[in-house]
Structure formats: structure tokens, C-alpha cells
Amino acid sequence: MTWSRIDPGATLSTGSWSRGVLWENGNRFLIFGNKDGNLVEDYNRRLLSWDHAAYIDLEAFGIYQPPELALSLASQELGLAALEEGTMAEFELVCDDGRRISCSRRLLEDRWPWFRERRREFVDAVTKAMETMPNGGKARGDVAMPELPGVLAEIDKPHGRPDPRLTPRAFHLSEPYAVTLAFLQWMYAQALITRLQHTPPVLSALLLLATTYKLETLEKQVKHAMHRALNAATSVGVYEVATLCDCQSLQIRALKVVMSSSRQRSNARPRHQGGPSGSGGGGGGGGGGGGGHGPPDESGARPRGMSDAPNMRRNGDGPRGPSGPGYGSGAPQGGHGPSELLFPLSSRRL
């Protein structure tokens, strides 16, 4: 365990804040005080203020209460085995590519409140439609033509039309096969325990399903799995799906990881090195006692558009490379000022 400082921001920099308490279920730390008070005066007077309350979102710093297990490990294994073997499977979930996965409708109704409500509306609509038919729908006489698509019948107007994706024996979830299978695995086990469920794309899709259908247990478990798997490679995807699902704490932490990884990449990027630096040669100058003071070592890059050719030819000598005997030698007869010694190419062009 390592201790690190949590920056509370500018809210607590002013005012008089004294007492705090940990809100475990909300993953927040509550602080009480007075935002307009004076901390020094209140301390001297031993005065505690309870006028205002501020909180620090601890989940944004990776400090939160992990979700509790809804079922025991043995029950989770039993649920996955029942799904794999198709035990008591009289219902189907249809994927976006048309593939079907068998499951138990009764189990979906018990653990999926949204599905239970849509199923009840569907049964009520069918029951009312049967009541309007002669002899409760058992006669073989003329039956009224159905209403046009998009037009509610008189019996459906008080309650609304049932979800068109729901049929007596199937529900069109309109999700990829992997996401649908992972969703059913969670329905049977009430936990994320398979390798498929922990892949980043499937976790993102499960978080969208949890927020869409208001499955609080699934949402907590998916966010916990995203917190554990959050790194530089998955931070961008986690930030995007957290923004879509309005998971502010997860969004803030993912954004911090994105900024940190971007800063590390920019610092690790190799910088461009300049051309070869001149070595201070100690060769003697021409006649007349011209001093042999070589140019100082230049570690920076030369100005763009200029060449090293003038440094390679001095006093009519032949061209010499950077490792030649005359490269970086002293000034010719008569000597030159320090500006030419430091910037030989610029002074010659002037």
C-alpha cells in the first residue's frame, strides 16, 4: 500500500472546513463547514461550522467500495452450467445477425425488471385482444382486420403498444452474439466471471446495456472491472463509454490516465540532435604571431540553410572533412573578433 495526496481542488481552499465523514456506499468523503467563514478565527474561537457540506469523489482516485457478490461461487457455476446445457430453456434471445441463444424466460423475468414489465404489457395486450374476439377467440368466425402499422387500437390506447421486439417465444436484443452471450452469462451467474465478459469491447457494451435497462448490480460490477483493467491501452475506450453512460467518476479517472500516458509519450520521444560539434583545435595560426584560438564547442544545431564548407577550407587548404586536421582550427592571420569565432558562417556572409 502506498499513500498519496488527494487534491480536493479550489473549493476547500477558502472558507472554514472542520469535520468530515466517509460515505462508504456513495464512495465519497463528506466535509462540513462554512464556505464564507475564516478558518483562523474559527480555530481560535474553537468554533465548528455545519452550514455547508462539500464532498470528494473518491472513486475518481480509484478508492471505492467493491460490489458485493449476489450469489455464491457454487451458484454461479451452477448457473453457467444451466445456460450451457439449456436447462429449462423455453425462450430465446435473438442477436443482430439472426443467431439465437436459448434461455429461461422465467429467469429473465425474475432478474430483469425491464423485461418483466414489457412481458406483462405484452400479456395484457394479448388478453384484451382475445377478449374482443367472438367467444374469447375460440370461434372460427370472421376476425377484425389488424390496425395499420404505427396506429394503436382502441384497447391499446390506455396502455400503449407492447415492445415490438418482444414475441411470445423470443426477444430481439439487437446486439452482437458475443455481447448477447456475455449478457446471458451475467443473468445466470449474476457476476462477471468468464473471460468473454472481461474483454474491453464486451465490457463497454455491457455498461451500455446496464445503464439502458437500469441494471444497477451489473453497472457496479462492470465499472469495477473497468477500474481494475484501466491502463494506457484501454483508457481512451473507457473514457468514451463512461461519457456515454454518464459515469462521471470512471470518466475522470480514465481521463487522468489518458493525460498521464500522453505526457509520458511526449517526454520519451527522442529529440533531434544537431550536426557535429567543432573540436577546439590547437593548431598554430599564420605568420605574424596570429594566436591559434579554436572555436568553442557548439552543442546546438547550426542555423538552417547554412553549410559546414567554409569551416572545412581555411587559408587555401584543400577540403577537409569533419575529422580532418584543419577542422575547427584557429583563425587566419590578422585575427578576427569573437563574433566571427563563434558564428563564422554568418559573419562571412555579412
Side-chain angles (χ1 to χ4, degrees), residues 32-208:
F32 301 94
N34 191 321
K35 65 177 183 179
D36 300 324
N38 189 300
L39 180 61
V40 178
E41 294 181 358
D42 292 349
Y43 178 79
N44 294 333
R45 296 162 54 189
R46 302 299 188 268
L47 178 64
L48 299 180
S49 301
W50 307 88
D51 301 325
H52 303 100
Y55 71 90
I56 300 176
D57 190 355
L58 299 179
E59 186 179 352
F61 298 92
I63 306 173
Y64 60 93
Q65 192 75 12
E68 299 180 357
L69 292 179
L71 300 176
S72 63
L73 183 58
S75 301
Q76 296 174 11
E77 294 177 352
L78 180 62
L80 291 180
L83 174 63
E84 184 178 357
E85 297 174 1
T87 305
M88 302 180 62
E90 79 284 6
F91 199 75
E92 293 178 332
L93 288 187
V94 184
C95 309
D96 58 355
D97 58 356
R99 287 189 284 181
R100 297 170 176 263
I101 304 178
S102 300
C103 59
S104 172
R105 176 181 57 82
R106 189 61 177 270
L107 183 140
L108 294 181
E109 291 180 354
D110 291 341
R111 299 181 178 179
W112 192 358
W114 182 90
F115 179 80
R116 180 172 61 249
E117 185 66 21
R118 300 291 85 76
R119 178 73 181 176
R120 185 188 62 79
E121 294 177 358
F122 180 81
V123 173
D124 293 344
V126 172
T127 303
K128 292 182 180 296
M130 295 289 292
E131 292 176 354
T132 59
M133 298 177 64
N135 296 329
K138 298 180 180 179
R140 297 184 178 179
D142 296 335
V143 180
M145 295 296 293
E147 299 288 337
L148 295 176
V151 180
L152 293 178
E154 293 296 332
I155 59 174
D156 292 336
K157 287 182 178 179
H159 306 283
R161 182 182 296 276
D163 196 311
R165 299 176 296 171
L166 182 62
T167 63
R169 293 193 177 276
F171 177 71
H172 295 259
L173 189 59
S174 301
E175 292 289 344
Y177 178 82
V179 176
T180 305
L181 179 58
F183 182 68
L184 278 178
Q185 289 175 347
W186 180 84
M187 280 291 177
Y188 274 77
Q190 292 289 286
L192 303 176
I193 57 176
T194 64
R195 182 176 299 179
L196 173 64
Q197 292 173 323
H198 283 272
T199 56
V202 174
L203 279 177
S204 301
L206 290 179
L207 184 59
L208 289 172

Side-chain angles (χ1 to χ4, degrees), residues 191-269:
L192 303 176
I193 57 176
T194 64
R195 182 176 299 179
L196 173 64
Q197 292 173 323
H198 283 272
T199 56
V202 174
L203 279 177
S204 301
L206 290 179
L207 184 59
L208 289 172
L209 290 175
T211 54
T212 301
Y213 298 113
K214 295 179 173 57
L215 298 171
E216 296 182 0
T217 303
L218 177 59
E219 182 180 353
K220 292 180 180 179
Q221 294 178 358
V222 172
K223 289 195 297 184
H224 176 59
M226 285 186 168
H227 275 295
R228 295 183 60 183
L230 186 60
N231 52 39
T234 62
S235 57
V236 176
V238 172
Y239 173 77
E240 292 176 354
V241 70
T243 304
L244 291 176
C245 299
D246 195 20
C247 301
Q248 185 177 2
S249 303
L250 182 61
Q251 175 188 0
I252 295 175
R253 190 177 182 217
L255 180 60
K256 292 180 180 179
V257 176
V258 171
M259 297 175 62
S260 176
S261 60
S262 177
R263 192 180 304 111
Q264 291 178 0
R265 285 195 302 267
S266 61
N267 294 336
R269 186 178 304 167

